[in-house]
Amino acid sequence: MQGERLIGTFELASEKPNSFQQSDIALLSALANAYVTTIHNTQLYTEQTRRMEDLASLPTTALRAGTDAASVYQMLVERIARLMDVQIAGVLLHDDKAAALVAQEPFIGLPSQIVRSYRIPLPPDSEQRYIFESASSWSSADLADEPLAVAMKLDILTNAAGVRDILLVPMLIGGRRIGMMQVSNRNAPGGFTRRDEQNLRLLAAPAAVIVEELRLYEQDVLRESELMSLQE
């Protein structure tokens, strides 16, 4: 047992009646408890590996096939939403000139008109700037009652889009933070758990690489377009 959850059974059998004593049962129970931790950790590792492989397979193949950047973004956030079991998922990229995290379309679960106006301001010495620059994650189980919601401009999400909860983790390329991955409206009851935070951080790593590949891809397309214009 892991808490109240049955993982499996550990059984021994003998052809002779009354072969096992109370001490045997105690030893078997001790061994079973030790195996539970090993089995649980193995299951977690297998699940995390599957999620990483599922996400990492997305960008290069899609771009080489000529899929446009918006479609790749769509596939990215759809997979994040499915793997995290949430109704809302999307990417906010850091805009240094605007001093803000700016939502990118498409943003699964949010109307386009909300996404286009959704940005988290990052004024100097603010709590939200610290969250972006230093925190490993940030979450709120009740966004409507969150003290930082107004300062972070998250009240638009609760008022206009019915967002109940939120989990943000940084997206990093090397040591550089390029934005944050957001998931909201967890399908399971309760707020986001520590395990959810760990899983989203794992998913944010390949997602950051995908976003960076998209940016470089779009730069290459723009450069080729400009060169063709000069040649005409």
Side-chain angles (χ1 to χ4, degrees):
M1 298 287 291
Q2 184 190 26
E4 298 297 321
R5 187 164 70 97
L6 177 65
I7 298 294
T9 59
F10 194 5
E11 301 177 4
L12 292 179
S14 174
E15 294 179 351
K16 298 179 181 180
N18 302 317
S19 294
F20 300 112
Q21 308 299 320
Q22 192 64 37
S23 58
D24 297 318
I25 297 174
L27 177 60
L28 194 61
S29 296
L31 290 172
N33 289 333
Y35 279 126
V36 162
T37 301
T38 301
I39 292 170
H40 177 64
N41 289 339
T42 301
Q43 289 174 336
L44 282 180
Y45 177 79
T46 302
E47 179 183 354
Q48 290 169 351
T49 300
R50 179 186 60 79
R51 292 183 179 202
M52 294 283 284
E53 290 175 349
D54 187 30
L55 196 64
S57 66
L58 173 62
T60 304
T61 302
L63 290 177
R64 285 177 179 172
T67 308
D68 63 276
S71 297
V72 177
Y73 257 116
Q74 180 81 21
M75 289 187 283
L76 169 64
V77 292
E78 282 179 349
R79 289 193 184 188
I80 293 288
R82 174 170 54 83
L83 293 171
M84 291 298 299
D85 192 26
V86 295
Q87 298 172 18
I88 296 171
V91 171
L92 297 109
L93 292 182
H94 180 229
D95 186 327
D96 190 48
K97 292 182 179 179
L101 292 168
V102 181
Q104 305 297 303
E105 291 191 271
F107 207 106
I108 296 297
L110 291 182
S112 293
Q113 61 269 28
I114 298 294
V115 179
R116 285 193 288 269
S117 60
Y118 176 28
R119 56 183 56 203
I120 299 176
L122 301 173
D125 301 320
S126 63
E127 184 69 20
Q128 58 265 35
R129 178 170 281 274
Y130 169 80
I131 290 169
F132 169 61
E133 293 181 343
S134 304
S136 60
S137 66
W138 182 80
S139 64
S140 176
D142 185 2
L143 203 54
D145 197 37
E146 170 58 49
L148 277 176
V150 174
M152 295 176 72
K153 304 297 184 184
L154 299 175
D155 48 338
I156 185 177
L157 302 183
T158 58
N159 296 332
V163 177
R164 303 186 305 270
D165 51 28
I166 188 171
L167 172 60
L168 293 168
V169 301
M171 302 174 67
L172 296 96
I173 296 294
R176 179 171 58 93
R177 298 194 174 206
I178 64 170
M180 301 196 85
M181 176 72 67
Q182 175 184 332
V183 291
S184 292
N185 287 12
R186 186 172 181 260
N187 287 320
F192 288 103
T193 65
R194 180 66 61 86
R195 183 177 175 185
D196 291 326
E197 294 177 12
Q198 293 171 346
N199 286 339
L200 190 58
R201 282 200 298 270
L202 285 171
L203 294 173
V209 175
I210 292 171
V211 170
E212 185 70 3
E213 284 192 12
L214 287 174
R215 184 184 67 81
L216 295 174
Y217 175 77
E218 290 177 332
Q219 284 183 352
D220 288 343
V221 171
L222 179 61
R223 189 178 299 112
E224 288 181 8
S225 178
E226 290 174 346
L227 287 173
M228 291 180 63
S229 297
L230 290 173
Q231 293 172 357
E232 291 178 355

